[in-house]
Amino acid sequence: MKKSLLKSAGLLLLGSTLLLGVPVSGAYAEDAGAPVRDQAPAAAPTAFVQLSGPSLASPGETFAVSVSLSGATGSATAGKFIFEYDPSSFEYISAAAGNPEVSIAGVNAETGKLTIVATDADGSLTDAGAVLALTFKAKAAGDISGINGYVELGADDGSVVQTPEQSLAVQIAGSAPGDLNGNSVIDVGDLSFLLKYFGIDASDVNWGSAAIGDFNKNNAIDLADLAALGKKVLYDNGQPFQLMEADIMSIQNAMAAGKLTSVELVQMYLDRIHEYDDELHSIISINPDALTLAKAMDDERQEKGPRGLLHGIPIIVKDNYDTLGMKTTAGCKCLDDNQTVSDAFIVKKLKDAGAIILAKANLSEFAINTDTLSSLGGQTQDPYDLTKNPGGSSGGTGASLAANFAAAGLGTDTGGSIRIPSSWNSIVGIRPTIGLTSRDGIIPLALSQDVGGPMARTVADAAILLDAVSGYDPNDIATAGSVGKKPASYTQYLDKNGLKGARIGLVLDSSVAGSNQEVLGLLNKAADDMRAQGATVVGVNIPNVADILKYPSLSGYEFKFNLNAYLSNTRFVDPAAIRNHSLTDIIAGNEFLTSLTNTLNTRNGVESLDTEEYKDILLFRTRLTQQSLLGLMADNDLDAILYPSTTGPTGGSSGSANRLSPFSGFPAISLPAGFVASGLPVGIELLGRPYGEGELIKLGYAYEQATHNRKAPELFPALPVPAK
């Protein structure tokens, strides 16, 4: 008996990472009555359970796990195998004998635990090869290292050896499709491995090594196999698609890898809008054709490939952009019959790029204020604090993107209407140089200051959007100035080392930076973060800043004339369909916010733009602002000027800094800078030279990648994944 016990002790299986067992001690010595303490222990057993299966498993994928005993010696006729696993990651499906010599005497499946009794009358469990074949289904992406095993073995003399209650070391023998070098990652090393066997077929002596790369199963390693693996290296990291905070590239990668369709993506965003917008009030209307358009984009992708990075991507646009098939209202009940007859130039460019206009966002009525309150859309709330407004006038776009209702969006900016809501919703907003993007087909506020631009959760997405929407439009002569000044792609400026060697001017003027200590603290932290990335940040004062900020916005002068021109232009509106054809008609109809009564009447009373007062503002304000900013940048050799996007956090003061960009016409980018103690977001703004969007994107991207200040609002979490 003692000899048999010593023999079976060699089958002990333990789970240390060194695959070592516990030595046999005095309990098994020759004289059982008196332990021999000084006797040398038996050699540590080297046997272990080996689980073989995929190194990567995708959600919903059914996969096999082979169970064998490796390194074991001696005879074992029975084994009780216990497997434990995380039921949130894996679902047990079935078990079968691994070879004809093995029989399964019983299976007990519990949640997270599987017990199987297996027998082999010949006593060869230890050398039978595969003992069991298990089938699991992955609920989340992962590998089989999350499945742990124990075993009790019965020797042929009837003795039992029970392993200690600890996990067995796992060897992953299988590999994910494409993981040719066995490192559990699909990478360029796998492609190099396959290239070594390019051109061989099943008759080659090396076919055993190359067969795993025969993706099209034609018994040869050909161009199709290289393309299939190249696609995996590019797009498929083995992880499931996650909607929350998804950026455009991750969406395109998921689509390219076959994990996601545009139809599925659109439905995910629609589900979030339907679930959450009753609280947020960020959306005025949803495109009734969104799913149909998504299906068309999926079909086109399948037949011809994607048009570009925006192919099948859902976009939310502010409801002052003309959009075929949808009303364009500027948030006013007075325009709820404005079923426009054309797309705004920017909207058409998005559609041509393959984007899907998912919805129209709420705005401050006629884009006049910064609170995002309208007679048609009501009051939009800020997703970080539902008791506060999200800024404006593009607050509907800002709030909806912060809450993950779409991939990216469009706003318009006359004073601070892109950058204020970007600051208060912890997103990125770009106000382009006047002339880089067309205003044609956008309900105007003041064309001398109006500009449309991208809003997104990341700098990269804003750059992708700016690529699509910028450029010359013969119907907006201001865009002629952009000819020859737009780069091949703004994405070429996405350099995480972009702050290295840069010179940034930190504005010290309190009239621009404000006096809120928390905001100033985040501004100074941003300056320190930029210094840590290799930038030189110097304090500066803007020349003539007091005189610049004394000037008013020209919306009080231009609004009536610009709006009347829009309402009378048959390229935009159907005069037979709309009931209001001028600001006078709108005031008479009294279908607008009562709080705007005095503002609309005052602006309707402006009789002419041919006045010295208007011309002096247009000329001297523009010249003074431009010369002051350019002189400051030249004198200090600056790449950009830095100040807070808003002088207060969400619901606080928007300040005066937002005037510098529209008064000069120069570009500016707002970036998430973090949160004050109350949990409300604040942004910083970088202003650059005319048509210097690329430089601002480079600086902003480097800052974003070094800080990752944006955090999604906790009030709008991911929706439960529907059961399949």
Side-chain angles (χ1 to χ4, degrees), residues 83-162:
F83 303 95
E84 293 183 349
Y85 57 91
D86 181 356
S88 66
S89 298
F90 303 105
E91 175 187 352
Y92 164 70
I93 303 297
S94 64
N99 70 74
E101 304 302 322
V102 176
S103 299
I104 292 180
V107 177
N108 181 32
E110 306 170 62
T111 302
K113 183 177 181 180
L114 174 66
T115 305
I116 301 174
V117 175
T119 63
D120 183 343
D122 293 334
S124 57
L125 280 180
T126 55
D127 57 12
V131 178
L132 298 171
L134 309 180
T135 303
F136 288 88
K137 182 177 181 180
K139 293 183 177 180
D143 60 55
I144 67 167
S145 62
I147 303 172
N148 300 315
Y150 317 91
V151 67
E152 297 174 7
L153 290 174
D156 56 359
D157 60 3
S159 58
V160 176
V161 176
Q162 184 173 357

Side-chain angles (χ1 to χ4, degrees), residues 108-234:
N108 181 32
E110 306 170 62
T111 302
K113 183 177 181 180
L114 174 66
T115 305
I116 301 174
V117 175
T119 63
D120 183 343
D122 293 334
S124 57
L125 280 180
T126 55
D127 57 12
V131 178
L132 298 171
L134 309 180
T135 303
F136 288 88
K137 182 177 181 180
K139 293 183 177 180
D143 60 55
I144 67 167
S145 62
I147 303 172
N148 300 315
Y150 317 91
V151 67
E152 297 174 7
L153 290 174
D156 56 359
D157 60 3
S159 58
V160 176
V161 176
Q162 184 173 357
T163 62
E165 287 288 325
Q166 65 185 84
S167 174
L168 295 173
V170 174
Q171 286 194 345
I172 299 173
S175 60
D179 180 21
L180 308 186
N181 58 9
N183 65 350
S184 298
V185 178
I186 300 172
D187 55 23
V188 291
D190 299 306
L191 193 57
S192 296
F193 181 93
L194 191 59
L195 279 167
K196 183 168 62 174
Y197 299 106
F198 177 67
I200 74 168
D201 59 26
S203 64
D204 193 281
V205 294
N206 294 309
W207 183 248
S209 300
I212 192 173
D214 182 19
F215 296 100
N216 59 5
K217 305 302 181 186
N218 68 345
N219 293 318
I221 304 300
D222 53 22
L223 284 174
D225 297 315
L226 294 179
L229 182 55
K231 181 177 176 181
K232 288 180 177 291
V233 171
L234 275 173

Side-chain angles (χ1 to χ4, degrees), residues 171-442:
Q171 286 194 345
I172 299 173
S175 60
D179 180 21
L180 308 186
N181 58 9
N183 65 350
S184 298
V185 178
I186 300 172
D187 55 23
V188 291
D190 299 306
L191 193 57
S192 296
F193 181 93
L194 191 59
L195 279 167
K196 183 168 62 174
Y197 299 106
F198 177 67
I200 74 168
D201 59 26
S203 64
D204 193 281
V205 294
N206 294 309
W207 183 248
S209 300
I212 192 173
D214 182 19
F215 296 100
N216 59 5
K217 305 302 181 186
N218 68 345
N219 293 318
I221 304 300
D222 53 22
L223 284 174
D225 297 315
L226 294 179
L229 182 55
K231 181 177 176 181
K232 288 180 177 291
V233 171
L234 275 173
Y235 305 121
D236 192 353
N237 63 0
Q239 299 300 311
F241 173 72
Q242 300 288 344
L243 180 71
M244 297 300 290
E245 299 294 284
D247 59 20
I248 291 172
M249 274 307 306
S250 68
I251 291 171
Q252 289 294 347
N253 291 348
M255 289 181 175
K259 297 179 180 180
L260 179 71
T261 66
S262 184
V263 168
E264 291 171 337
L265 181 65
V266 166
Q267 188 61 62
M268 289 178 189
Y269 284 130
L270 289 176
D271 289 345
R272 290 188 60 78
I273 292 171
H274 292 318
E275 178 68 21
Y276 289 132
D277 201 50
D278 285 346
E279 299 175 79
L280 204 56
H281 306 293
S282 65
I283 302 298
I284 285 182
S285 61
I286 293 173
N287 188 345
D289 298 323
L291 287 169
T292 300
L293 293 168
K295 177 62 166 60
M297 288 295 101
D298 285 336
D299 291 345
E300 182 178 320
R301 180 188 295 270
Q302 189 69 26
E303 295 169 7
K304 302 178 182 178
R307 300 181 190 181
L309 291 177
L310 288 175
H311 189 108
I313 300 295
I315 302 294
I316 289 176
V317 302
K318 188 176 181 179
D319 197 20
N320 57 352
Y321 282 84
D322 286 354
T323 308
L324 283 170
M326 303 180 74
K327 296 176 181 178
T328 302
T329 70
C332 188
K333 288 182 178 178
C334 62
L335 293 180
D336 64 1
D337 54 3
N338 184 26
Q339 196 81 31
T340 55
V341 297
S342 63
D343 284 323
F345 182 79
I346 287 180
V347 170
K348 184 178 185 302
K349 294 200 77 173
L350 282 178
K351 290 181 176 179
D352 289 346
I356 297 164
I357 307 303
L358 180 67
K360 307 289 285 292
N362 196 23
L363 64 157
S364 301
E365 191 151 321
F366 286 115
I368 288 175
N369 291 316
T370 59
D371 54 2
T372 305
L373 171 65
S374 71
S375 59
L376 194 60
Q379 175 64 64
T380 298
Q381 311 299 334
D382 190 279
Y384 293 91
D385 184 341
L386 294 175
T387 68
K388 294 179 168 57
N389 76 69
S393 61
S394 307
T397 306
S400 65
L401 296 181
N404 284 272
F405 287 178
L410 291 178
T412 60
D413 193 311
T414 305
S417 290
I418 284 176
R419 294 155 295 139
I420 295 170
S422 293
S423 176
W424 288 358
N425 290 279
S426 194
I427 64 171
V428 177
I430 297 178
R431 177 189 161 95
T433 306
I434 291 179
L436 183 65
T437 57
S438 171
R439 287 84 49 88
D440 195 60
I442 302 174

